[in-house]
């Protein structure tokens, strides 16, 4: 099925290469006039549309507006069906779902609008009332927070759009609606509503994007900054129009001003008394609010470290488990106990002990992402929730970094204090699907860690602990191997079978262990990727191979172009391009001697950012090759944008040709696509004359595989280069 999908992708790409070359971005549009809406002619309009259209015109983008309700727009954005969603307030929960522009587009505030004649005047009057709120909106979260602070419980009527909420108030389904003032002032007359004095704090409205659109967000931020720096730009004309729209809807009619003038004298004393009374009520309300907030804080947070306490942690863990179950994610519960903390209290005093607890809390905060949670659940015990984890190794890596940080000496009150910690870990869903059992099992693992060997960590399941220690040992051995020069590059030659010339070699890392002999790459490279150690290995390989290449060139050999495999982590490293340039400079090599191989899967993890980095490398003169082509599911739009020079046909398609019809069609399609884009195509894993003949017959002229050369150490390769003489294949 995977291969059929690859064939379809290639065929579709060939059929669309003549299409509109402009970038196409899909924009969510919900009815929230005058900020964003579809007008009577079914055309996008509003402040955000004006700004976005101006940016798209300058960037030569094509925007496709997709009308949807607020909640549906957010779902489509999260799934990647939309590229941009305007008019979104940034909140902590939303940061887990989307990325946001750094530039604020507009500040907005909301108010409660009531049915005329209703007795809703202040926040306290909302107790027990039916209030329409937009589902998943910043207003819904804000009013709920305000209500809890005042100890009231409104009955929330959650609606998918402001129109549905306004209709709900009109028909009696709700008694009031919380809505942004821009929209509220436009609609209050039509729906017979009146604005109250209940205002919700201003929110900063931005553009939101799905993960993977970081480059797009950066481009729009640049354009926004440019527009906001020019007082004559469309940004300010659109904003002025927006504010005029609001002014036009909130001016007072002349007869009302005349009436107010007649009665103002008679009510002046009443107004003064009302003001005094109101201030008394407000002062009392603030006092009650402070008291309630203090009680709420005491109930949920630890007074010393300001972390969540045990009860709040248990309550939150239950929600985390429910979310992980719904999203089919993994999470880990980590309990950390300071070893021999009583000794610190007894010998140095409780004040120093408290400072140790605070310092440990501050150290742990650095390891907690926005999606995770940290709490102090007893005197010297902390708890973490690590959510949405991909592997046990990810947790091991985090725990080991925590231990290294905790083990560092502290200087407190003139004392050099050394502490250690024991850690217990349980996993959802492997150990249990219930939050209380996960906490109990992590505590059981912690007890075992303290009894067996203090200053260690244990998993609830013993086999996971054994796996963790095996990984720890492997990590130590790999670092030692790098120091002791146990790693060495091997090279596999690549030939142009039409001319018979050597065109280059792919460098492959090998580990020659002093006791175990050659360690298979599959045993250590995946672990190096998971721990990040691959970055050190790759950088070492780059410097070592470039120096070897320079030596061969100075000796009169023609080794062609050096191909290095690029780890996915390099594409996340902001300093990666400079490191490549420095390596070339130190080896006194030109960029034309180097090729970097990337896979489809690597690029599609963060396509916009990856393409930006690869373009910079290509502009510098380095060849970019797509490795294992055909095995991933690249977006056709991205494939057209990639700055690649060469496609490598994956050996899984070469293995069964000729003979396997699916593989034959796939290989033919890849070659045809490469030719249409004027790309070089090379097949890897070629082991038989029949495979080579099929590839040559269908236009693939570059070959790599055991048929002509197996990966070899530098000494053997140098002898082969000497045998090749002029570089021609014999």
């Amino acid at each position: 099925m995977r291969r059929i999908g690859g064939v379809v992708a290639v065929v579709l790409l060939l059929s669309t290469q003549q299409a509109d070359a402009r970038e196409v971005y899909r924009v969510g549009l919900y009815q929230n006039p005058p900020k964003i809406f579809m007008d009577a002619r079914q055309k996008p309009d509003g402040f955000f549309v004006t700004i976005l259209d101006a940016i798209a015109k300058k960037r030569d983008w094509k925007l496709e507006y997709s009308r949807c309700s607020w909640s549906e727009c957010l779902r489509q954005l999260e799934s990647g069906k939309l590229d941009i969603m305007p008019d979104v307030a940034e909140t902590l929960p939303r940061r887990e779902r989307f990325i946001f522009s750094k530039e604020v587009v507009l500040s907005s505030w909301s108010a409660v609008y009531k049915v005329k004649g209703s007795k809703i005047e202040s926040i306290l009057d909302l107790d027990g009332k039916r209030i329409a709120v937009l589902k998943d909106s910043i207003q819904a979260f804000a009013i709920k927070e305000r209500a809890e602070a005042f100890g009231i419980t409104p009955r929330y009527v959650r609606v998918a759009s402001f129109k549905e909420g306004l209709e709900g108030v009109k028909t009696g389904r709700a008694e009031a609606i919380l809505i942004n003032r821009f929209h509220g002032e436009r609609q209050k007359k039509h729906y017979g509503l009146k604005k109250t004095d209940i205002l919700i704090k201003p929110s900063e409205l931005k553009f939101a994007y799905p993960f993977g659109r970081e480059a797009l967000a950066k481009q729009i931020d640049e354009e926004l900054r440019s527009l906001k720096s020019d007082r004559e730009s469309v940004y300010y004309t659109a904003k002025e129009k927006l504010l005029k729209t609001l002014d036009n809807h909130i001016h007072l009619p002349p007869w009302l001003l005349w009436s107010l003038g007649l009665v103002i004298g008679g009510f002046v004393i009443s107004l003064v008394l009302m003001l005094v009374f109101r201030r008394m009520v407000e002062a009392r309300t603030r006092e009650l609010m402070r008291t309630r907030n203090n009680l709420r804080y005491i109930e949920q947070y630890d007074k010393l470290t300001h972390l969540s306490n045990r009860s709040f942690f248990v309550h939150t863990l239950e929600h985390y488990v429910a979310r992980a179950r719904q999203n089919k994610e993994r999470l880990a519960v980590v309990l950390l106990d300071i070893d021999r903390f009583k000794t610190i209290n007894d010998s140095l005093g409780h004040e120093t002990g408290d400072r140790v607890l605070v310092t440990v809390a501050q150290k742990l905060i650095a390891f907690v992402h926005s999606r995770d949670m940290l709490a102090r659940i007893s005197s010297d015990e902390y708890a973490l929730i690590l959510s949405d984890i991909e592997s046990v190794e990810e947790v091991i890596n985090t725990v080991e970094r925590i231990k290294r940080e905790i083990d560092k000496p502290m200087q407190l009150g003139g004392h050099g204090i050394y502490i250690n910690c024991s850690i217990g870990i349980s996993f959802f869903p492997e150990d249990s699907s219930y939050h209380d059992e996960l906490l109990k099992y992590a505590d059981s693992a912690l007890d075992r860690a303290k009894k067996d060997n203090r200053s260690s960590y244990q998993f609830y399941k013993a086999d996971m602990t054994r796996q963790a220690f095996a990984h720890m040992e492997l990590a130590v051995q790999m670092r030692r191997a790098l120091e002791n020069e146990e790693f060495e590059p091997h090279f596999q030659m690549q030939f142009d079978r039409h001319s018979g010339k050597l065109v280059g070699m792919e460098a492959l890392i090998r580990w020659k262990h002093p006791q175990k002999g050659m360690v298979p790459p599959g045993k250590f490279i995946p672990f190096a990727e998971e721990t990040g150690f691959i970055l050190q290995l790759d950088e070492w390989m780059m410097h070592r191979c470039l120096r070897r290449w320079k030596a061969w060139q100075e000796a009169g050999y023609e080794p062609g172009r050096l191909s290095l495999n690029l780890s996915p982590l390099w594409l996340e490293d902001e300093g990666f391009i400079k490191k490549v340039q420095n390596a070339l400079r130190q080896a006194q090599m030109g960029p034309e001697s180097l090729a970097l191989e990337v896979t489809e899967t690597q690029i599609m993890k963060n396509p916009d950012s990856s393409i930006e980095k690869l373009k910079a490398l290509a502009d510098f003169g380095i060849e970019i090759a797509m490795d294992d082509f055909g095995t991933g599911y690249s977006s056709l739009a991205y494939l057209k944008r990639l700055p690649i020079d060469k496609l490598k046909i994956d050996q899984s398609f070469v293995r069964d040709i000729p003979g396997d019809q699916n593989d034959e069609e796939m290989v033919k399609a890849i070659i045809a696509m490469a030719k249409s884009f004027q790309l070089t195509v090379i097949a890897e894993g070629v082991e038989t004359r029949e495979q080579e003949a099929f590839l040559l017959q269908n236009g693939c002229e570059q070959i790599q595989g055991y048929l002509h050369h197996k990966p070899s150490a530098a000494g053997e390769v140098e002898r082969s280069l000497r045998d090749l003489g002029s570089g021609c294949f014999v």
Side-chain angles (χ1 to χ4, degrees):
M1 193 68 180
R2 189 183 190 187
R3 297 178 179 181
I4 293 173
V7 174
V8 172
V10 174
V11 172
L12 285 174
L13 181 59
L14 287 169
S15 65
T16 58
Q17 55 184 299
Q18 301 301 324
D20 190 347
R22 290 188 300 168
E23 301 289 349
V24 179
Y25 295 114
R26 298 153 297 180
V27 184
L29 186 149
Y30 77 110
Q31 290 295 99
N32 189 12
K35 293 188 293 180
I36 181 170
F37 62 99
M38 194 75 79
D39 66 15
R41 299 169 297 169
Q42 297 302 301
K43 290 186 176 181
D45 200 355
F47 174 79
F48 279 91
V49 172
T50 302
I51 300 303
L52 203 52
D53 284 349
I55 293 173
K57 183 178 180 181
K58 183 177 177 182
R59 289 274 181 171
D60 195 26
W61 294 338
K62 181 179 179 182
L63 301 180
E64 294 180 353
Y65 288 91
S66 177
R67 186 170 180 178
C68 44
S69 69
W70 168 256
S71 299
E72 181 58 29
C73 281
L74 292 183
R75 281 194 292 271
Q76 290 187 25
L77 185 71
E78 188 171 18
S79 67
K81 293 181 180 178
L82 295 176
D83 301 305
I84 308 170
M85 181 64 190
D87 193 24
V88 184
E90 184 176 2
T91 64
L92 189 59
R94 286 180 185 165
R95 285 183 202 152
E96 298 180 8
R97 302 171 62 191
F98 319 112
I99 56 175
F100 286 85
S101 54
K102 288 183 170 53
E103 287 293 319
V104 176
V105 187
L106 186 68
S107 294
S108 175
W109 65 102
S110 300
V112 172
Y113 287 77
K114 66 177 183 178
V115 177
K116 289 181 179 178
S118 170
K119 294 184 179 180
I120 298 175
E121 300 296 341
S122 72
I123 185 75
L124 298 175
D125 295 327
L126 296 180
D127 192 23
K129 299 293 194 302
R130 288 171 281 113
I131 311 299
V133 294
L134 189 61
K135 193 187 305 180
D136 298 327
S137 67
I138 186 74
Q139 298 104 322
F141 290 113
I143 195 169
K144 183 179 179 183
E145 189 178 60
R146 284 278 295 277
E148 289 176 353
F150 279 95
I152 62 173
T153 53
R155 294 156 61 190
Y156 300 110
V157 180
R158 291 175 173 80
V159 295
S161 65
F162 285 138
K163 183 177 181 181
E164 180 186 343
L166 291 165
E167 291 290 344
V169 177
K170 186 176 181 180
T171 58
R173 181 183 169 201
E175 299 165 80
I177 182 172
L178 179 63
I179 190 171
N180 74 72
R181 285 195 61 197
F182 292 113
H183 201 31
E185 292 301 321
R186 288 174 63 95
Q187 301 294 339
K188 68 179 184 180
K189 183 176 180 181
H190 178 72
Y191 287 95
L193 302 179
K194 182 181 179 182
K195 185 177 75 65
T196 70
D197 291 331
I198 307 170
L199 299 177
I200 299 300
K201 60 183 179 181
S203 55
E204 296 180 337
L205 304 178
K206 300 182 177 183
F207 290 113
Y209 316 84
F211 288 105
R213 285 296 192 184
E214 287 79 2
L216 175 60
K218 183 178 179 181
Q219 291 172 342
I220 290 181
D221 271 339
E222 291 173 357
E223 296 299 336
L224 270 175
R225 280 193 292 272
S226 175
L227 289 172
K228 291 164 76 172
S229 66
D230 180 7
R231 299 295 300 184
E232 303 299 323
S233 72
V234 67
Y235 175 84
Y236 289 100
T237 56
K239 192 171 183 179
E240 185 178 354
K241 180 181 177 183
L242 180 72
L243 295 176
K244 282 183 178 178
T245 302
L246 180 60
D247 291 341
N248 290 339
H249 286 277
I250 63 174
H251 73 275
L252 297 175
W255 65 267
L256 181 57
L257 293 173
W258 179 77
S259 299
L260 288 174
L262 289 177
V263 301
I264 191 72
F267 282 97
V268 65
I269 297 176
S270 300
L271 288 174
V272 170
L273 292 174
M274 286 177 62
L275 181 61
V276 172
F277 179 72
R278 182 172 180 176
R279 287 182 176 175
M280 291 173 63
V281 171
E282 287 178 348
R284 179 59 178 161
T285 300
R286 285 194 296 270
E287 183 182 348
L288 290 171
M289 186 169 140
R290 281 195 299 269
T291 302
R292 181 170 293 276
N293 285 340
N294 288 337
L295 290 172
R296 183 184 176 195
Y297 187 86
I298 292 170
E299 288 175 358
Q300 296 183 352
Y301 293 93
D302 171 47
K303 185 178 179 180
L304 177 64
T305 63
H306 303 293
L307 299 177
S308 302
N309 60 21
R310 185 182 186 89
S311 62
F312 191 43
F313 177 82
V314 173
H315 175 72
T316 305
L317 177 59
E318 185 176 6
H319 288 286
Y320 269 75
V321 169
R323 186 178 65 184
R325 186 183 295 112
Q326 180 180 0
N327 298 337
K328 297 181 179 179
E329 297 172 347
R330 300 173 74 188
L331 64 81
V333 176
V334 180
L335 298 187
L336 182 149
D337 183 88
I338 301 175
D339 294 337
R340 302 180 182 87
F341 179 70
K342 186 174 183 299
T343 304
I344 297 175
N345 269 341
D346 293 344
S347 60
L348 300 177
H350 288 275
E351 183 178 347
T352 300
D354 286 349
R355 294 177 67 185
V356 168
L357 293 172
V358 172
T359 303
V360 170
Q362 292 170 344
K363 288 186 174 187
L364 290 174
I365 288 171
F367 296 94
V368 179
H369 299 291
S370 59
R371 64 180 187 272
D372 302 330
M373 184 184 184
L374 171 64
R376 180 187 175 213
I377 62 174
S378 70
S379 173
D380 58 353
E381 191 172 332
Y382 301 82
L384 296 92
I385 303 173
L386 304 179
S387 64
D388 193 20
I389 58 175
E390 296 183 359
S391 65
V392 175
E393 288 73 23
E394 180 182 342
V395 177
I396 292 172
N397 187 37
T398 300
V399 168
E400 289 182 348
R401 288 191 294 119
I402 287 174
K403 281 188 61 56
R404 285 196 295 271
E405 184 62 32
I406 298 297
D407 289 347
K408 292 178 181 178
M410 304 178 188
Q411 292 296 327
L412 298 176
H415 298 285
I417 300 175
Y418 293 83
I419 64 171
N420 303 113
C421 63
S422 300
I423 296 175
I425 308 158
S426 63
F427 285 93
F428 170 91
E430 291 91 335
D431 296 331
S432 176
S433 297
Y434 301 97
H435 73 285
D436 52 347
E437 290 185 351
L438 286 170
L439 192 57
K440 181 173 69 175
Y441 293 160
D443 193 48
S444 175
L446 175 61
D447 286 341
R448 195 164 65 249
K450 294 170 72 174
K451 290 175 183 176
D452 293 351
N453 178 20
R454 285 182 183 269
S455 188
S456 69
Y457 60 89
Q458 294 279 340
F459 293 91
Y460 175 64
K461 289 183 177 176
D463 59 336
M464 285 191 176
T465 301
R466 286 193 293 271
Q467 180 184 353
F469 282 116
H471 284 160
M472 286 175 61
E473 179 63 23
L474 180 59
V476 171
Q477 289 184 7
M478 287 173 62
R479 287 183 172 85
R480 188 181 299 132
L482 191 59
E483 294 171 2
N484 297 338
E485 299 284 334
E486 294 172 19
F487 291 108
E488 59 182 43
H490 282 211
F491 303 90
Q492 186 172 34
M493 293 182 171
Q494 301 166 333
F495 294 96
D496 185 318
R497 292 299 286 120
H498 179 71
S499 65
K501 294 186 72 68
L502 173 68
V503 294
M505 292 181 245
E506 180 180 359
L508 304 163
I509 193 166
R510 294 293 184 262
W511 182 4
K512 191 174 182 179
H513 195 281
Q515 284 82 39
K516 300 176 183 178
M518 297 302 293
V519 180
K523 291 286 187 181
F524 68 90
I525 289 180
F527 181 69
E529 291 273 8
E530 290 164 1
T531 59
F533 186 65
I534 193 69
L535 295 176
Q536 294 181 54
L537 283 182
D538 281 356
E539 193 166 0
W540 177 88
M541 273 285 285
M542 186 182 303
H543 285 276
R544 178 61 61 89
C545 292
L546 284 171
R547 288 200 302 269
R548 171 62 62 182
W549 225 251
K550 181 66 174 178
W552 282 337
Q553 289 178 344
E554 290 180 344
Y557 301 124
E558 297 180 12
R561 194 186 295 262
L562 169 65
S563 292
L564 294 173
N565 289 288
L566 191 62
S567 165
L569 296 179
W570 279 116
L571 293 177
E572 300 172 12
D573 186 344
E574 293 300 324
F576 166 57
I577 296 173
K578 287 187 177 179
K579 289 178 181 177
V580 175
Q581 293 172 338
N582 288 337
L584 287 166
R585 192 178 302 112
Q586 289 177 23
Q588 297 181 340
M589 295 277 290
E592 69 282 352
S593 298
L594 180 62
L596 295 176
E597 298 186 5
V598 294
T599 65
E600 288 180 87
T601 306
Q602 286 174 243
I603 295 172
M604 296 314 297
K605 283 183 178 178
N606 193 344
D608 288 331
S609 176
S610 298
I611 290 171
E612 185 178 353
K613 288 186 174 69
L614 293 177
K615 279 184 177 177
L617 291 169
D619 291 342
F620 186 60
I622 296 170
E623 181 181 85
I624 306 297
M626 181 175 280
D627 197 9
D628 302 338
F629 186 75
T631 61
Y633 294 92
S634 302
S635 163
L636 301 180
Y638 284 120
L639 282 175
K640 293 170 67 177
R641 295 168 52 197
L642 291 174
I644 54 177
D645 305 286
K646 180 184 288 187
L647 293 183
K648 287 191 82 171
I649 303 175
D650 185 63
Q651 59 183 341
S652 63
F653 299 117
V654 175
R655 187 179 299 116
D656 295 324
I657 62 169
D660 186 300
Q661 186 176 356
N662 285 337
D663 286 344
E664 289 180 0
E665 292 300 322
M666 186 63 186
V667 169
K668 289 178 183 178
I670 293 174
I671 295 171
M673 190 194 69
K675 297 294 184 184
S676 68
F677 282 100
Q678 298 181 332
L679 302 177
T680 304
V681 60
I682 182 172
E684 62 181 355
V686 180
E687 299 180 354
T688 69
R689 294 290 181 188
E690 290 77 16
Q691 292 169 346
E692 182 182 60
F694 179 87
L695 292 164
L696 291 172
Q697 182 181 352
N698 287 280
C700 177
E701 297 174 349
Q702 291 194 9
I703 302 295
Q704 177 181 341
Y706 275 53
L707 177 61
H708 295 301
H709 188 259
K710 68 177 182 179
S712 305
E716 296 178 35
V717 171
E718 188 164 333
R719 284 191 291 272
S720 298
L721 287 171
R722 194 179 301 118
D723 293 340
L724 289 173
S726 63
C728 294
F729 176 71
V730 292

